Amino acid sequence: ALAAPAIAQSNPKITWRMTSSFPKSLDTIYGGAEVLSKMLSEATHGNFQIQVFAAGELVPGLQAADAVTAGTVEAAHTVCYYFWGKDPTWALGSDVPFALNARGRNAWQYHGGGIDLFNTFLAKQGLFGLPGGNTGTQMGGWFRKEINTVEDLKGLKMRIGGFAGKVMEKLGLVPQQLAGGDVYPALEKGTIDAAEWVGPYDDEKLGFYKVAPYYYYPGFWEGGPTVHFLFSKEKYEALPAAYKSLLHTACQAEDADMLQKYDYLNTKAIKSLVANGAKLKPFSQEILSACFDAANKTYDEMMASNADFKTIWESIVAFRKEAYLWDQVAEYNFDTFMMIQQRAGKL
Amino acid sequence: ALAAPAIAQSNPKITWRMTSSFPKSLDTIYGGAEVLSKMLSEATHGNFQIQVFAAGELVPGLQAADAVTAGTVEAAHTVCYYFWGKDPTWALGSDVPFALNARGRNAWQYHGGGIDLFNTFLAKQGLFGLPGGNTGTQMGGWFRKEINTVEDLKGLKMRIGGFAGKVMEKLGLVPQQLAGGDVYPALEKGTIDAAEWVGPYDDEKLGFYKVAPYYYYPGFWEGGPTVHFLFSKEKYEALPAAYKSLLHTACQAEDADMLQKYDYLNTKAIKSLVANGAKLKPFSQEILSACFDAANKTYDEMMASNADFKTIWESIVAFRKEAYLWDQVAEYNFDTFMMIQQRAGKL
């Protein structure tokens, strides 16, 4: 007689609202929240529901984290560097220039204490966060003309995300904040000279190759950016143990799934972009080195005045050194050999 | 009055036994099955239980798949290339020489139809499989002396896994099958000249560096091997929908988790191995090229007589070509720049 109520109680009906920072047109990154929602609902007979709302439906995209802190919604799907202006520590939860690639970031997050460290920061805003997607190394964006030297960056008006823009300002670049839909006309008219977005699959839909054909790589400010699920800490902690465990499992699965999806779709998109006229160009070593130095100066400034930033960045840096030592052994040499075969037409 | 029985029925008690092909001492790879078991149990209030048994406890490690087909156990955690002798198509489910790195394999598996394709093969043995871990690119193993040319491979007695051994035989290498515990004494006595195992973290425990100090890379026969969960197809299909969905979610999470764990632990182990005397050596381009050609000849032979092998290998090859085109753009250039900084002591 006691068994049935116990079971019923253990799968309570819970409905959360999740505001996404992305439009539905970005099916990979917006779609990640739908993937999570489906996993949770299916595993609980529809009892643990997360309703996903696109950016702007309930809350503007860039206010997603604030909306969870304020209790307007229970959850958000966002990229934490959007909020770096409030505190640069936010950016460390997603990505900053010259940090880690996706595998390195995940190793650090899941097994190097990264998730817990970032949550000590998020707790101060009443939030609990879990990784909820990754794009892999992004592209460096679309440029109306070639840039070869650091001199070419001076005065360049570029649509570029907040924290990376702050670093690039040190080299004379003029960062521009534009909403997604405004970028194409600005590039076409020449109001801006360049714009970075994500990578081939997402970029192709926006058609930038038609008006700014030089497609630079790598997007060194996003070597492996984490997209986050942010939850109300109070609501998360009040979850039954089974739902809490399921939430961790499902977020880790969805986190992997988004990268897997990007890794598949980008292979198709890069080919069709090039076929349509995109001109692939690597950033010069001069530019990369100058940006690396500018980034390090920025980190030093931030560490001097921000203890949270210092703690988390030092943890990333300690792992980065080891990760890029090991990476250059088996993985890099396997990939290099395979790329040589690819270029020789042997694959 | 109807609600309680309906809920009770939807979380039925299910207990499966899973035989692992690995000993408990391989905590990363054996531990993956324990991670899955915990995820399933916690999310279902202990109602969906998978009991994990180490290799040999119920079933010898190399009979794991057969034991599921025969109905001795409901599930196995194994590497499918162990069974290539029955049909080489098995090897394609895990890894073969010069295939894909871990991200490429996952992109192909989860979004390029790879999981479904391999399951059309597994269905013939009454099995349903899901990826359940990855080690990343493995090391090429431990050698008692340096090998520089293809000539040096001739007559070399090497402990190397079945399918890769078959490829290497074409170059005169003499593959040896030895159980884990027998490898060290055989290397010490010189009964064998070389042995491949996994990567730094697992290899370090076995102490090979003391008796065969040349540690070659990359393990080109395992660029990104998938460890599998194999389930009885009949038992899998009879699962309630909620458990079936949860099983997919948890396997995808655990699959990611194992790679994340290896990526973290290997960074520590490679440093301590080198500090203890391991001598890191890259395989020469001559050796890699000869092995690449030998592998392609092997694939041609197998495709000529095995339709399942042909279908799956052609699907991998089609994606491999695209994956290694895209990889060499953003990701590779980001990593290369970071490795240059690492070598310059700037990270």
Side-chain angles (χ1 to χ4, degrees), chain B residues 7-18:
Chain B
I7 289 168
Q9 185 191 27
S10 64
N11 265 339
K13 184 87 184 172
I14 288 182
T15 303
W16 283 357
R17 302 197 300 174
M18 175 177 280

Side-chain angles (χ1 to χ4, degrees), chain A residues 10-11 42 101 103 111 137 245 252 257 260 263 268 322 324 328 331-332 335-336 342-343, chain B residues 10-11 42 45 101 103 111 137 245 252 257 260 263 268 322 324 328 331-332 335-336 342-343:
Chain A
S10 64
N11 265 339
E42 286 182 354
N101 61 20
R103 278 177 56 180
H111 295 280
T137 303
S245 173
Q252 191 168 7
D257 192 70
Q260 289 155 358
D263 281 345
K268 315 286 172 193
E322 296 180 334
Y324 275 113
Q328 65 196 273
E331 200 80 29
Y332 189 77
D335 284 343
T336 300
Q342 197 278 335
R343 294 207 168 198
Chain B
S10 64
N11 265 339
E42 286 182 354
H45 312 283
N101 60 20
R103 278 178 57 181
H111 294 280
T137 303
S245 173
Q252 192 168 8
D257 193 70
Q260 289 153 358
D263 282 345
K268 314 286 171 192
E322 294 179 336
Y324 276 113
Q328 65 196 275
E331 200 81 30
Y332 190 76
D335 284 343
T336 300
Q342 197 279 334
R343 292 206 169 199

